[in-house]
Amino acid sequence: MTPALDATRQPVRAAAAAFIGTMIEWYDFYIYATAAALVFGELYFPSHDPFISTMASFATFAVGFFARPLGGVIFGHLGDKIGRKKALMTTLMMMGVATVCVGLLPAYSKVGLLAPVLLVLLRVVQGIAVGGEWGGAVLMAAEHAPKGRRTFFASFAQLGSPAGLILSLIAFRAVTSMPHDEFIAWGWRLPFLVSAVLLVVGILIRMGVNESPEFEREKLSKRTVDLPIAEVFRSSGALVAFCIGANTIGIAGVYFTNTFMISYTTQYVGVTKSLILDCLFAVAIIQFLTQPLAALLAEKIGGARFLKLTALCAMISPYPMFILVQSGNMVSMIIGIAIAVVCMASFYSVIAGFVSGVFPVRVRYSAISISYQVCGAIAGGLTPLVGTWLAHKFTGQWWPLAVFYTCLAGISLLSIVVLDALKHRRADAPEALATR
């Protein structure tokens, strides 16, 4: 292949690699989330009270989120100093190895307290890995994108999330059909062990993508900085704060409608595990189809305007969702959850391209990583815990959960409004925000 032909194919290749790589990373992350809702409480945090076991299990799930900012700092620094590609290869290796180790981990009944301790440590490794993954994947796709197509190409990194969710749901739907004793004894481990195959596939695909052309130009011009994260907070602290807020519903919404919804519907609505997994599988397909269409629409009407509209819709969406979910009917539940997910997913598909244009190239990996991952630690990590607490506190009442979801979407809406206003104020800066 000639260099010229290879160069023309690199944008598509980079977008595909971003999609495949993040799909694998999120598959690993989601199977942990599903296992946390279904089995980890029983196996690693045994208790006479299912509420206590579930809370302890979700606490380890939250630990992964709290480790994500550390991953954002570490790999943001590496990505801004030595390159996006090298950082991404490392995060993929870390995630794959940690996930396989979870699948091999003995239960509490076998090794006692060592089991939950090792589970938490592996969860920390997962959190660090995914904390460095997202920013690099977004940038590899966005910085390879043709002129004017940043929003659409960056959305392929976001598309890995629903694809990973679909794979994880397929995997767990298969093993939950096993007899309960076999599922608890060894069946739940299979989705984790399959990650070894996905890891090899991901590495082979990423090896074929060139380094980001924008990073290469920045490196040649010698405009890289010694400590990117310090430069971010020195020059763009306010932007980081509002980018954290802007990501809220895109992150928290996923874990509300998926991870928390599994435990809520099985414990409080009375549906079976297999039924809610089937519902979430159907909704994940809807999300997967929605996101690229949303990115294309956002390119037509403007990113900021589209984000404001979808955040507003997300504020309204939990009320019809809970009304329909309470029925326990599969079709109604799919429609209800899909209403919320379409609004959330449309926002999520566009927010990556929007924030990737906020910061200068020399600190971009660090800036968007820390913004996204701090939000993940707070909004993503705590959402299942807060949801579980509200469901227990207000047993039989869904409206506090709906209000909680509305507040999450409201934070994103307010943050986008402020970021859009700051964009216009900084229009005279040499590296202004991306086109609306």
Side-chain angles (χ1 to χ4, degrees):
M1 184 182 298
T2 65
L5 181 59
D6 182 62
T8 61
R9 294 184 176 180
Q10 278 297 310
V12 174
R13 188 176 293 174
F19 165 65
I20 297 296
T22 53
M23 178 186 71
I24 294 168
E25 293 258 0
W26 285 114
Y27 166 82
D28 290 350
F29 214 68
Y30 284 137
I31 57 174
Y32 189 103
T34 307
L38 294 178
V39 298
F40 283 168
E42 179 179 347
L43 290 178
Y44 293 97
F45 307 95
S47 169
H48 295 296
D49 187 344
F51 169 70
I52 299 298
S53 293
T54 301
M55 287 293 284
S57 180
F58 278 150
T60 69
F61 175 68
V63 164
F65 281 92
F66 297 141
R68 282 168 60 169
L70 177 59
V73 171
I74 293 171
F75 289 101
H77 176 84
L78 294 174
D80 284 328
K81 292 290 289 182
I82 66 174
R84 285 51 164 138
K85 182 175 178 177
K86 292 177 181 176
L88 286 173
M89 295 294 283
T90 306
T91 60
L92 193 60
M93 282 289 296
M94 287 177 61
M95 177 63 91
V97 172
T99 302
V100 172
C101 287
V102 171
L104 298 172
L105 192 64
Y108 185 94
S109 61
K110 301 292 185 182
V111 295
L113 190 60
L114 182 62
V117 170
L118 290 176
L119 183 65
V120 170
L121 289 176
L122 290 171
R123 182 61 176 168
V124 169
V125 174
Q126 277 195 325
I128 292 173
V130 82
E133 164 71 21
W134 180 84
V138 167
L139 293 186
M140 283 293 277
E143 292 177 353
H144 273 285
K147 186 176 180 180
R149 304 302 310 278
R150 179 186 295 272
T151 295
F152 180 68
F153 275 75
S155 73
F156 278 86
Q158 304 293 73
L159 196 59
S161 177
L165 177 60
I166 290 170
L167 284 182
S168 72
L169 290 172
I170 290 174
F172 264 95
R173 183 64 184 89
V175 295
T176 52
S177 63
M178 301 169 60
H180 179 73
D181 289 344
E182 292 183 18
F183 171 67
I184 294 296
W186 57 271
W188 69 269
R189 299 178 184 275
L190 297 179
F192 290 85
L193 300 179
V194 167
S195 184
V197 178
L198 299 178
L199 172 62
V200 174
V201 173
I203 289 174
L204 292 175
I205 290 173
R206 282 197 166 161
M207 287 176 64
V209 181
N210 296 337
E211 180 57 85
S212 156
E214 289 189 30
F215 173 79
E216 293 283 19
R217 287 194 294 270
E218 198 77 6
K219 188 176 180 180
L220 287 173
S221 68
K222 301 187 184 302
R223 287 188 290 180
T224 56
V225 295
D226 291 333
L227 196 58
I229 194 66
E231 173 68 14
V232 168
F233 286 107
R234 184 191 65 79
S235 62
S236 306
L239 289 176
V240 169
F242 286 110
C243 283
I244 291 171
N247 277 295
T248 299
I249 192 59
I251 296 174
V254 171
Y255 296 101
F256 189 100
T257 57
N258 289 285
T259 306
F260 166 70
M261 194 59 73
I262 292 174
S263 63
Y264 175 76
T265 53
T266 54
Q267 293 183 30
Y268 296 97
V269 180
V271 304
T272 63
K273 294 175 182 177
S274 59
L275 176 59
I276 184 58
L277 289 176
D278 285 345
C279 291
L280 292 178
F281 177 73
V283 172
I285 293 174
I286 294 170
Q287 179 183 352
F288 183 81
L289 297 174
T290 296
Q291 286 193 195
L293 297 176
L296 289 171
L297 180 59
E299 283 191 345
K300 301 293 184 183
I301 70 174
R305 186 178 303 164
F306 183 85
L307 289 169
K308 293 173 190 176
L309 177 63
T310 51
L312 181 61
C313 291
M315 293 179 69
I316 302 169
S317 66
Y319 303 95
M321 175 177 69
F322 275 106
I323 290 173
L324 292 168
V325 164
Q326 295 301 121
S327 70
N329 174 267
M330 182 175 180
V331 175
S332 296
M333 291 175 68
I334 291 173
I335 294 172
I337 299 172
I339 290 171
V341 167
V342 166
C343 299
M344 175 274 296
S346 297
F347 181 95
Y348 182 70
S349 68
V350 176
I351 190 64
F354 183 80
V355 300
S356 71
V358 169
F359 302 99
V361 175
R362 64 183 181 274
V363 296
R364 188 175 287 163
Y365 199 144
S366 296
I368 70 168
S369 293
I370 199 66
S371 300
Y372 186 87
Q373 304 309 341
V374 168
C375 181
I378 299 170
L382 295 180
T383 291
L385 285 171
V386 174
T388 301
W389 180 82
L390 287 172
H392 181 73
K393 179 74 173 178
F394 299 94
T395 302
Q397 302 181 63
W398 56 261
W399 66 264
L401 293 165
V403 171
F404 173 50
Y405 192 96
T406 295
C407 291
L408 295 172
I411 292 170
S412 288
L413 176 59
L414 178 61
S415 299
I416 292 296
V417 169
V418 174
L419 279 173
D420 195 32
L422 289 174
K423 179 184 75 171
H424 293 297
R425 287 188 185 181
R426 291 163 57 97
D428 57 342
E431 290 180 274
L433 299 184
T435 302
R436 292 168 67 191

